Amino acid sequence: MPTYRIAWLPGDGIGNDVMEAARLVLDALKLDAQYVHGDIGWEFWRTEGDAFPERTIELLKNVDAAMFGAITSKPVKAAEAELVPELKGKGLVYRSPIVRMRQLFDLYVCLRPCKAYPGNSLNYRNGIDLVVFRENTEDLYSGVEFSPVPDKLRDILKELAKPFAHFADLPGDQYAITCKINTKKGSERIIRAAFEHAARYGYKKVTVIHKANVVRATEGLFLEIGKQVAKEFPGIQMDDANIDAICMWLLKDPDKYGVLVATNMFGDIVSDLCAQMVGGLGFGCSGNIGEELAVFEPTHGSAPKYAGQNKVNPIATILAARMMLDWLGEKQKAERLETAVAAVIAEGKVRTYDMGGSSSTVDMAKAIVAKL
Ligand code: NAI
Ligand code: MG
């Protein structure tokens, strides 16, 4: 029996192209793994009314890790329109598989390393080595939303929240409410994961990102817990910054930062900023990590216009595979892979279109394999 059982979820569009490339690399590394294909994505929404079928959920319950390509999603009306005739008008609602996956498997860490590999002409600046820890299960993405706002909720807010007086006379259909929910447990575990990562990989500083001065209840809680957790890691410096300010500081002095940790929405924003500083979508990789399962993916989507053209950059997915190796405890293979990717970028001979070249997806994978 192979050592690892890995769910292989290519999804849609270029998800297939980049996952094929990642597989060439993993096979060259001779990872002792069984890869089990899982159905996910638009085709399954269209034909089964579920983009994340039950059999794929079952598969994920019995694997060591998963690699995920990309999926296509569309607005409500467009989604309904593409259902096969038998499924139309049945009240089926499209739900994002990745959001469901995060919730179902409690994948509370969204880990996004952003490193400027020397020689990448897309780097904003050399020397950038940032790791973003984004809380992945709560905050403004909890899904607790009201539009229109029900009378019951308006009555409660009138009674309990003074500042609500400002909205009290508005009819419920004239505004909307999205709840930002942050728990102590959720905040503590993401912040601890960030500090543990800093300790394990030799980062000197963890920056807690927040907006505690204005969003006092939830962001204040996050910052408070940051200060508490920091006490457990005396060797690591903790600092904190407002989300708006950090966007400026990161652009000014990116090399002064290491590990960054934030609540869900601020983490979402700052991780895209960091990814763009090191080459953008062709390089952005991420891990959705829980206690039992971790799912690794490029951060880009299915880019339908390039689907099946063997054209896009597979480095993001190959770096996601590197993250998976690291998470599985295959440190040596992870390092070999990263060294090979860095060597190909430094050499600059093989470059996909986004890097200013004309090499194909498979060319890039083969160049990386050659360096292994
Ligand atoms: P996208 O990330 O798929 O592509 C935007 C553009 O970025 C592409 O047209 C291409 O120019 C470039 N690009 C993306 N990946 C690249 C790569 N590996 N190499 C080189 N260039 C690359 O975003 P878009 O067009 O907004 O969304 C397309 C579909 O993907 C939508 O249905 C969207 O919902 C879905 N999506 C899925 C995600 C996921 O599966 N995690 C994340 C983002 C979008
Ligand atoms: Mg995002």
Side-chain angles (χ1 to χ4, degrees):
M1 268 253 293
T3 313
Y4 305 109
R5 198 172 133 84
I6 296 180
W8 198 256
L9 317 172
D12 307 316
I14 61 163
N16 293 285
D17 303 49
V18 292
M19 286 285 275
E20 192 186 315
R23 189 58 171 277
L24 288 174
V25 172
L26 285 170
D27 287 347
L29 279 166
K30 299 200 167 51
L31 182 70
D32 187 22
Q34 177 197 11
Y35 299 95
V36 190
H37 177 93
D39 292 336
I40 194 164
W42 197 247
E43 189 55 25
F44 304 96
W45 159 254
R46 267 190 3 88
T47 56
E48 300 177 24
D50 190 353
F52 187 30
E54 199 53 44
R55 57 186 179 279
T56 307
I57 295 173
E58 284 306 310
L59 166 67
L60 287 174
K61 287 180 185 166
N62 291 298
V63 292
D64 297 295
M67 282 287 297
F68 173 47
I71 46 161
T72 301
S73 53
K74 299 185 186 179
V76 179
K77 278 192 184 142
E80 162 80 20
E82 288 197 26
L83 283 171
V84 293
E86 310 87 271
L87 294 177
K88 279 203 177 104
K90 293 213 162 147
L92 291 167
V93 180
Y94 182 85
R95 290 185 293 161
S96 158
I98 189 76
V99 172
R100 275 173 72 203
M101 206 187 284
R102 286 169 183 160
Q103 288 169 350
L104 271 170
F105 293 94
D106 200 18
L107 307 176
Y108 63 91
V109 175
C110 180
L111 172 58
R112 286 181 61 171
C114 301
K115 201 188 263 190
Y117 291 100
N120 184 356
S121 64
L122 299 170
N123 286 343
Y124 172 65
R125 201 172 291 172
N126 290 327
I128 300 175
D129 183 1
L130 299 165
V131 186
V132 183
F133 277 77
R134 162 188 169 194
E135 202 290 322
N136 221 3
T137 57
E138 42 188 54
D139 197 53
L140 274 167
Y141 300 22
S142 316
V144 182
E145 304 194 277
F146 304 92
S147 177
V149 180
D151 290 343
K152 223 179 184 172
L153 180 58
R154 302 174 66 211
D155 292 343
I156 293 172
L157 289 172
K158 267 186 220 169
E159 194 186 317
L160 295 182
K162 254 197 191 152
F164 186 73
H166 187 62
F167 308 98
D169 296 330
L170 275 177
D173 62 359
Q174 291 303 302
Y175 64 114
I177 293 179
T178 296
C179 296
K180 175 167 159 61
I181 304 177
N182 300 81
T183 66
K184 286 188 174 173
K185 178 186 166 194
S187 304
E188 193 178 325
R189 63 186 185 173
I190 189 72
I191 293 169
R192 181 166 288 112
F195 273 92
E196 281 170 354
H197 188 92
R200 190 172 311 132
Y201 295 94
Y203 290 89
K204 294 191 179 68
K205 183 163 86 172
V206 173
T207 304
V208 176
I209 297 171
H210 61 84
K211 189 75 184 178
N213 52 343
V214 180
V215 190
R216 288 165 205 252
T218 48
E219 291 295 312
L221 178 142
F222 195 71
L223 176 58
E224 251 342 282
I225 291 180
K227 288 178 183 163
Q228 281 167 27
V229 174
K231 289 188 191 139
E232 297 167 29
F233 298 85
I236 295 165
Q237 186 198 342
M238 176 221 161
D239 72 353
D240 69 278
N242 279 306
I243 175 64
D244 45 347
I246 195 76
C247 292
M248 292 200 299
W249 299 131
L250 281 169
L251 288 177
K252 184 164 180 285
D253 292 315
D255 44 342
K256 287 197 179 149
Y257 295 90
V259 175
L260 308 164
V261 60
T263 49
N264 203 341
M265 185 172 208
F266 294 162
D268 193 5
I269 294 167
V270 88
S271 56
D272 275 13
L273 172 68
C274 293
Q276 192 55 44
M277 288 199 286
V278 299
L281 289 174
F283 295 83
C285 56
S286 80
N288 302 278
I289 304 171
E291 302 294 339
E292 307 288 332
L293 178 71
V295 181
F296 299 89
E297 55 164 338
T299 54
H300 60 72
S302 62
K305 69 178 176 201
Y306 294 126
Q309 290 182 27
N310 186 27
K311 178 169 173 156
V312 296
N313 191 348
I315 290 181
T317 313
I318 290 170
L319 289 175
R322 183 207 71 81
M323 292 176 77
M324 179 181 77
L325 292 168
D326 195 53
W327 189 78
L328 289 170
E330 296 283 346
K331 306 279 175 206
Q332 236 188 332
K333 286 187 167 57
E335 271 172 33
R336 272 179 67 202
L337 179 51
E338 184 171 26
T339 307
V341 171
V344 171
I345 295 172
E347 208 170 72
K349 280 193 202 146
V350 178
R351 286 172 295 142
T352 45
Y353 84 91
D354 57 315
M355 301 167 78
S358 57
S359 308
S360 72
T361 308
V362 172
D363 287 342
M364 178 58 84
K366 285 187 175 162
I368 292 166
V369 166
K371 294 285 179 201
L372 286 172

